[in-house]
Every structure is written in structure tokens, then in C-alpha cells.
Amino acid sequence: MASPLIIRNLTSKPVEVKRCEYHGTAPSLSRGGITNISQNVTSLFWNATSPAAPAVSEPTTSFVHEDVSIWIEPFKAVQTEIKPQGQNETVHLTFETEGEQHRLETPTPTSSSVTLKPVSDSPRLSFTAVHLLEHCHVTLYSSTNLPSWMGSFRDDTPLSALSIPGTHNSPTCHRALPSVRCQAVSPPEQLDNGVRFFDIRVQPEAPLDPSKDGLILVHGVFPISLTGTKYLRDLLKEVYIFLDRNPSETIIMSLKREGTGSSTDAQLSKILRNHYASDPQRWFTAPRIPYLGEARGKIVLIRRFGLDDSLKQEWGGAGWGIDAENWADNTPNATCPSGDVCVQDFYEVLETVNIEKKIQYSQEHLERAAKCRCSLPAQENLAGIAPPKQPFYINFLTASNFWKVGCWPEKIAAKLNPAIVDFLCRKHNALEDGSSEQAEAIGDGSTGIVVCDWVGHRGNWDLVRCIIGMNAKLEMRG
């Protein structure tokens, strides 16, 4: 027999379950305490994130329904008495908030998230549900317009306060050597689906010639594609096109020197400064974490490389770019000397059994980010406001072992990504019993920057949606 359904409300609005409909394939159903029986069938809906979501089953021939009142406050979880009685029975739930009604069927016919079907005419609100069948758990998020989700936040929001989905070795979506490819889809598709942090590794093509600007995209010592050299210049063109179409957004770009040859960090820094990141309308290169309003329409530079002496005098002698040069290697938790970046980047998963350790470190870093509560200045004019003190919490869900097939990026992502979706839906920013305390005691519930492999594989963007959905508490403060 199924367990009672738990519903967690991770939106900024209280919701109430108003009606339960128990649908089955039998000609009639009997259920204690429920006397309303109808031969009418409520139409099903599906607006899954996956384009390959299975077709909706044939309508059932009968159902029983019950009017209920289950009130769920924002950021709370409630264990209900709702549960299907058989393998072929589904439950249709009608939620109400601010005078609107939206409907959900559980269990969902796909493991991907679904958008609730509005019952009211001309709805203002939209909700997404993730159903964790194993735990009989449904989590509600506010749906968002993924290409422009940052538009919902105040200009004076510190960028480090947001829950931001990112990708690891972001442009490695091409046919490549084993363990080199880390992404299922292209950078433009990542951006359109909500990704706002890019992890980029480059190799200077002609470091001794200051007139040459070639920066080859690499992963370690390998090129990212077996079908031809790929360049940073072309990637940036795609980023600029996206930002021009979505001026409310910003892209945080971490840049690091890798590859072969004898180039130096100093040479890379001069190439970037002289040929790429000199336009202040396109790039934010101050050595501090910006407010969102300062960064809209721009690329925010996090540098994982040292500077040429000439660039150390930029910004009044403070340097150039957010400083993550001394990034601790293979660490479960470390803060860069600049204080601007706190990172989890444990990547040496040599055996598949170590994936559980990686999941643990990733969850612990999510908890660190969740406890922070950012300061939101009341001033509309950003000039003169002290830089935010909250660092970027950067959390890599990525690892690999070139020599072991079970530890290639796509294999690890297949285990780690669902585990983090489960954690965010059921446990993030919550107590052991599943209920949340006062917001002041727990923090804003941010995830920080969560850096992923293989998001969007077969159209599944649930991890990205869950990360963005964790901004609800911060959005409510605005």
C-alpha cells in the first residue's frame, strides 16, 4: 500500500489543496468517507520539461472525489492523508492560491517535472511540480521564464545571494575523447534553459605574439572536439547574442588556463584584457562581487589565473576580475584567499563507490550556502554601496576518472544529478522532520552556484529548475 503523500511548498505564496479526485481503471471505486462518485472525467494535462515525455494515458472511466482543505504555508512541508490505493490509481489534486486554481495529477507519467494546469481563466500564476515517487513526495515551485529569470530580482541584490545553475566545461558538447565531453547540449541551449555560470578552460594559440588573440577551448590537455578546433571568440558571440535578447540577465564566467604548450597566466591575462574584456558595456571586471543591477547584460569575470604586473594596477591597484587564482585543488570545502569564492570541487572519484562521498560533499556545500542571509540595501542608487560580503558558494557536482568507464562524467551525472534534485526537493533549507523554521534562523535558502554535467540530457532540465526555484525566499524579501 502506498504511503501518504507529502507536499512541500517552495513558493513564496501559501497554497491550499481544495479537491482530491481518485481515478482508476475499474468501472467503479469505493473509498471510505468519500461518497461523491462521478462518471465524468477531468481532462488530463501534461506540459513536461522533457519533449520526449510519454503520451497521456487513455481517460479513466470513473473516479471518486473529495473536497478537502489542506493549507501549506510557504517553505513548509505537510504530510497529508492522500494516497493512491492501487498501482493503476492516480490522484488529481486541485490547488488554490490568490483566487486561482491549478491542477496536478500524481503520480506523474514521467520522471520529469510538470507544469500544473490552470483551472481559472487568465491565470497570473504558474507552478511546477516535481514528484519523487520513491518517497511519495511532491514539491511545488513557482514556474519561471527560464531565458529571463533574473528579471524577477531587485537591482540591489548581491549576485552571490542568488541560486544560480551553472555548467562545468560548458562548451564541451561535441564529439570528443572519453571523459572530455561534459555537456549534453550547446551553450546557447544551456542559456535559454536558465544556466548563468560558465566554466571555461582556454589555451593561448600564440602567446608570444601580443597581436594574436586566439584562445582555444580545451579540457585539460585535450581539445574539446574531434571535428575541429573551437575558439573562445565564437563562444562569446553566442553569449552576447543571448544577453542582447535578454538584458535582464548576466553570465558569470570562470576562466582558467589549461592545454599544452608553454604559455603563462600573465600572457593569458593580457590577451583577455586587450582583445576580449575591455568593453565595460560587455564585461564586469572589477575585483569584487557585483550587485545584479551592475551586471545585467554583462559577463562577470571570475579569473582562475594570475595577472600580468600591468593588470595588478587596474581598479586603483586592486587588480582585475574576481580573484579565484589560488583555488584549492580537489577540495570538499575551501575559501580562496580573496574571500570572494568558497568552493567544493572534489573531483577525484577513482571508483564508483566514491560517488556517494561526492554526493555528501555537494549536499554539505548546499547547506553552507543556504544558511547565508544577504543584505539588501534600500538605496536605489547603487553608487556608494559597500560591496556585498557574502562570497560566491561554487559547488561542483562534477567528477571523473578517465580510466574507468563507470566514472566518466555522464555516468557520474546520471547518479549525482537525481540525488541533488531529491535533496533540493525534500531536504534543502529544511529541518530533519521536513519542516522549516523561521527564515531568519535558516537563511535565504540559496544554493549558491551549482555547477553541473549533462544537464538538459534528453530534455530533462529538472536540476536547473530546482536550483532556480530555490530563489523564492529571496524573491519574497524583495
Side-chain angles (χ1 to χ4, degrees):
M1 183 178 294
S3 301
L5 183 68
I6 298 172
I7 303 174
R8 190 179 185 202
N9 177 15
L10 290 182
T11 79
S12 59
K13 304 178 185 301
V15 299
E16 184 181 9
V17 183
K18 299 287 287 185
R19 180 182 172 97
C20 299
E21 299 173 358
Y22 297 86
H23 291 247
T25 56
S28 62
L29 295 169
S30 61
R31 182 176 291 271
I34 303 176
T35 58
N36 298 315
I37 301 179
S38 173
Q39 296 299 317
N40 297 323
V41 178
T42 304
S43 63
L44 303 182
F45 71 92
W46 298 117
N47 184 9
T49 58
S50 171
V56 179
S57 58
E58 289 297 317
T60 55
T61 58
S62 64
F63 69 82
V64 295
H65 69 265
E66 180 180 23
D67 292 328
V68 297
S69 178
I70 304 172
W71 187 262
I72 313 172
E73 293 285 350
F75 317 112
K76 299 288 186 178
V78 171
Q79 180 168 306
T80 71
E81 297 181 358
I82 301 166
K83 56 182 178 180
Q85 295 298 305
Q87 188 175 14
N88 296 322
E89 186 175 277
T90 62
V91 182
H92 295 197
L93 304 176
T94 300
F95 294 85
E96 183 172 286
T97 184
E98 296 188 355
E100 295 184 12
Q101 291 192 342
H102 299 256
R103 187 175 295 131
L104 170 70
E105 178 184 340
T106 63
T108 57
T110 169
S111 60
S112 298
S113 59
V114 295
T115 301
L116 275 63
K117 179 182 178 181
V119 180
S120 310
D121 294 332
S122 303
R124 296 175 296 103
L125 306 174
S126 180
F127 299 95
T128 297
V130 177
H131 186 201
L132 303 171
L133 188 60
E134 179 183 356
H135 303 285
C136 206
H137 188 289
V138 167
T139 302
L140 289 181
Y141 293 98
S142 294
S143 300
T144 186
N145 182 23
L146 293 177
S148 58
W149 65 265
M150 287 180 161
S152 301
F153 298 92
R154 293 165 37 161
D155 279 352
D156 59 357
T157 303
L159 199 54
S160 55
L162 291 171
S163 299
I164 296 175
T167 50
H168 162 245
N169 277 290
S170 305
T172 58
C173 58
H174 308 279
R175 187 163 61 90
L177 294 172
S179 227
V180 171
R181 182 177 180 180
C182 298
Q183 300 305 324
V185 302
S186 67
E189 188 171 349
Q190 295 172 31
L191 294 173
D192 284 339
N193 283 280
V195 171
R196 295 294 177 268
F197 173 94
F198 275 0
D199 168 46
I200 308 297
R201 323 296 175 93
V202 295
Q203 173 187 319
E205 192 171 39
L208 298 179
D209 187 344
S211 68
K212 302 292 186 181
D213 68 356
L215 291 176
I216 301 170
L217 296 171
V218 295
H219 181 181
V221 298
F222 301 108
I224 68 167
S225 173
L226 293 175
T227 59
T229 302
K230 308 298 180 183
Y231 289 92
L232 177 65
R233 178 73 68 189
D234 296 320
L235 173 63
L236 291 179
K237 289 177 182 177
E238 296 173 335
V239 173
Y240 295 151
I241 289 171
F242 173 81
L243 290 173
D244 288 342
R245 291 174 178 168
N246 301 278
S248 63
E249 308 304 286
T250 183
I251 309 302
I252 303 166
M253 187 172 290
S254 167
L255 277 162
K256 181 186 179 187
R257 180 181 59 84
E258 289 186 351
T260 58
S262 58
S263 62
T264 66
D265 281 2
Q267 291 166 337
L268 171 60
S269 69
K270 291 184 69 175
I271 293 170
L272 286 168
R273 175 64 177 85
N274 295 335
H275 296 284
Y276 291 88
S278 59
D279 184 355
Q281 300 304 310
R282 289 292 195 188
W283 289 78
F284 182 92
T285 59
R288 62 175 178 84
I289 296 172
Y291 292 92
L292 181 56
E294 299 175 285
R296 294 194 196 273
K298 301 177 183 178
I299 299 171
V300 175
L301 174 63
I302 294 180
R303 60 173 179 86
R304 294 181 63 184
F305 53 84
L307 293 176
D308 184 78
D309 287 343
S310 62
L311 295 181
K312 294 176 182 178
Q313 304 308 311
E314 296 267 340
W315 296 97
W320 188 71
I322 297 170
D323 182 6
E325 175 186 358
N326 295 307
W327 184 301
D329 184 61
N330 197 40
T331 179
N333 176 33
T335 300
C336 293
S338 67
D340 288 330
V341 173
C342 181
V343 63
Q344 181 281 121
D345 190 19
F346 173 77
Y347 59 83
E348 287 188 356
V349 177
L350 302 181
E351 300 290 341
T352 55
V353 294
N354 291 338
I355 296 176
E356 291 302 319
K357 182 184 292 186
K358 176 66 179 181
I359 292 173
Q360 174 192 336
Y361 290 156
S362 301
Q363 292 174 348
E364 289 172 352
H365 212 57
L366 288 170
E367 291 171 345
R368 293 183 192 100
K371 293 176 182 177
C372 294
R373 184 172 174 84
C374 78
S375 175
L376 294 174
Q379 300 93 329
E380 294 184 2
N381 184 359
L382 298 178
I385 299 176
K389 301 300 182 183
Q390 182 174 336
F392 282 125
Y393 284 86
I394 302 181
N395 194 354
F396 280 81
L397 307 187
T398 61
S400 68
N401 177 1
F402 180 88
W403 304 107
K404 200 171 190 66
V405 174
C407 294
W408 287 355
E410 64 271 27
K411 302 295 185 180
I412 291 179
K415 294 184 178 181
L416 212 137
N417 291 359
I420 298 303
V421 168
D422 183 291
F423 180 84
L424 292 175
C425 287
R426 295 195 303 122
K427 298 180 180 180
H428 185 68
N429 200 220
L431 298 178
E432 289 297 323
D433 62 2
S435 62
S436 296
E437 288 185 338
Q438 295 295 324
E440 290 76 14
I442 293 183
D444 290 325
S446 171
T447 65
I449 298 171
V450 184
V451 189
C452 317
D453 278 345
W454 284 84
V455 288
H457 182 50
R458 296 179 178 172
N460 190 330
W461 295 96
D462 283 1
L463 180 54
V464 170
R465 288 183 178 276
C466 290
I467 295 165
I468 296 173
M470 297 310 301
N471 284 303
K473 189 177 289 187
L474 181 63
E475 185 177 3
M476 188 170 67
R477 287 182 56 195

